[in-house]
Amino acid sequence: MVNETVKEIFELKKQKNAVILAHNYQREEIQNIADFVGDSLELSRKAVELECDIIVFCGVHFMAETASILNPEKTVLLPEIDAGCPMADMIDARKLTKWASQFPDTPVIAYVNTTAEVKALSYACCTSANAPEIVKAVPFEKILFVPDKNLADWVKRKVPEKEIIPWDGFCPTHHMIKKDDVIRSKELYPNALVVVHPECRPEVIDLADHVASTSGMVRFAKSSSAKEFLIGTETGLIYRLKKENPDKNFYPLKKTMICPNMKVTTLESVLTALRDMKHIIKVPEDIRLKAKEAIERMFTLYKPKN
Ligand code: 13P
Ligand code: SF4
């Protein structure tokens, strides 16, 4: 049955000239059928490079929206329309406009985990893979940072010379890890390196050996001589970490670190998406153009080495 579904997906993909992109948190079976698996920065860059008619985005809404903003001529499909990001939903254009009016002439840096409307009001975007570099590179001493207060705190540590005013948002999945979880896990695995995502609380960052985006964690695990790692991010990443490092051991800092939105996409929903061409993600043109400017400024301000 699963094999039948996979076969049908591959047939439709070929017939319709489609490409499947999957975020690192997706279910194992989705990662296995994807043409490319990566973090938000890699997926947004990939979306621009692709030569195809359709992108099936296995991730959450803002990711598919970013792909659509950058590729208006391609059809971007989000298999599960309710796959949202609760952190992105913690700010909208109305709230941002009201808040920003208290800080005249202070530009907004928006984490990509935001809606197109919020990006359209921002000077530049950033992801967890480049946030400190972007904040360092913008020609302003004082910025507003939305929506993640934990990521903002981490950036402040890396770029102390700038004044960063954060919005009070957070990711429920990463915010759930507390200092005690790290202490208990380290007692269980004393030789393991603690690797966490910058969406974690500052008290968790304090105890980490390394802080990185999801794909940054994969690169770190590959290059490290350590054999054991405690991973502080959505548990979906552990599948990729194990697959690409079969000689190393990875343990979640907390087993319940699951983003329900990242798990709703199934093989069945990918098949339905391709067969019935749904759900098409499109952004109104005036908002798209402004949001595109903020995303493209991110690409201009910081060019990663790999
Ligand atoms: P990455 O950009 O590190 O993949 O993270 C995206 C995300 O949603 C983290 O929760
Ligand atoms: Fe959003 Fe957090 Fe889920 Fe990432 S893990 S998509 S930030 S809710």
Side-chain angles (χ1 to χ4, degrees):
M1 186 61 194
V2 170
N3 282 348
E4 263 315 295
T5 309
V6 172
K7 207 170 135 222
E8 271 186 75
I9 289 172
F10 284 147
E11 276 166 13
L12 278 169
K13 202 163 76 84
K14 198 166 165 211
Q15 193 185 314
K16 298 196 174 189
N17 191 23
V19 164
I20 300 177
L21 297 184
H23 186 264
N24 286 321
Y25 295 158
Q26 289 290 293
R27 291 167 179 269
E28 300 178 13
E29 60 274 25
I30 299 294
Q31 295 194 30
N32 287 340
I33 58 151
D35 295 286
F36 186 79
V37 181
D39 67 9
S40 345
L41 181 62
E42 291 170 331
L43 294 175
S44 56
R45 285 168 64 210
K46 202 78 199 168
V48 189
E49 292 163 13
L50 292 171
E51 281 182 25
C52 62
D53 296 320
I54 298 167
I55 297 174
V56 182
F57 212 115
C58 301
V60 291
H61 193 275
F62 76 82
M63 296 178 175
E65 205 175 51
T66 303
S68 174
I69 289 166
L70 295 170
N71 295 279
E73 73 294 348
K74 290 176 193 146
T75 303
V76 178
L77 301 174
L78 180 67
E80 289 289 339
I81 196 62
D82 292 330
C85 167
M87 174 162 69
D89 294 337
M90 287 180 190
I91 191 160
D92 58 23
R94 194 185 53 81
K95 287 181 190 160
L96 175 56
T97 307
K98 193 167 168 224
W99 181 61
S101 69
Q102 297 169 52
F103 308 95
D105 303 323
T106 313
V108 176
I109 305 296
Y111 190 23
V112 278
N113 298 40
T114 43
T115 60
E117 286 83 356
V118 166
K119 289 183 177 78
L121 293 171
S122 304
Y123 175 77
C125 289
C126 69
T127 77
S128 59
N130 62 17
E133 288 79 6
I134 297 295
V135 170
K136 210 174 275 182
V138 293
F140 311 103
E141 296 314 309
K142 183 177 169 184
I143 56 140
L144 302 177
F145 191 94
V146 298
D148 187 5
K149 61 179 174 186
N150 291 336
L151 180 62
D153 186 273
W154 182 63
V155 174
K156 267 186 201 174
R157 294 174 189 218
K158 299 276 204 185
V159 195
E161 66 276 20
K162 298 228 171 164
E163 187 182 346
I164 302 170
I165 305 167
W167 181 255
D168 193 21
F170 59 90
C171 160
T173 306
H174 288 83
H175 206 62
M176 74 165 71
I177 323 182
K178 310 254 177 67
K179 188 178 175 178
D180 284 352
D181 296 311
V182 185
I183 293 170
R184 266 197 304 271
S185 304
K186 278 173 87 136
E187 279 164 12
L188 279 173
Y189 302 102
N191 297 323
L193 290 184
V194 176
V195 185
V196 306
H197 196 276
E199 287 176 15
C200 291
R201 289 169 189 260
E203 67 191 51
V204 168
I205 302 269
D206 283 340
L207 298 175
D209 294 296
H210 188 67
V211 182
S213 75
T214 53
S215 290
M217 290 185 189
V218 176
R219 287 190 288 273
F220 177 74
K222 269 187 197 164
S223 64
S224 168
S225 57
K227 291 285 175 209
E228 290 189 307
F229 302 85
L230 278 159
I231 301 299
T233 197
E234 214 277 348
T235 58
L237 183 71
I238 298 209
Y239 174 66
R240 188 171 161 204
L241 284 165
K242 284 185 176 163
K243 195 171 166 183
E244 296 185 20
N245 301 278
D247 58 328
K248 298 184 179 182
N249 291 314
F250 301 92
Y251 317 104
L253 267 180
K254 203 176 173 89
K255 286 193 181 119
T256 50
M257 276 192 86
I258 294 165
C259 173
N261 295 281
M262 281 286 183
K263 297 292 183 270
V264 284
T265 305
T266 60
L267 289 176
E268 273 309 317
S269 44
V270 174
L271 177 58
T272 309
L274 268 169
R275 193 179 49 212
D276 302 343
M277 293 297 284
K278 64 182 196 184
H279 302 271
I280 297 175
I281 304 299
K282 263 268 174 255
V283 175
E285 192 59 8
D286 54 334
I287 293 171
R288 187 188 77 79
L289 289 173
K290 289 189 194 138
K292 184 171 172 262
E293 216 175 292
I295 300 166
E296 285 181 342
R297 192 163 279 130
M298 164 174 85
F299 295 136
T300 315
L301 286 168
Y302 175 64
K303 295 196 187 354
K305 286 167 213 91
N306 53 3

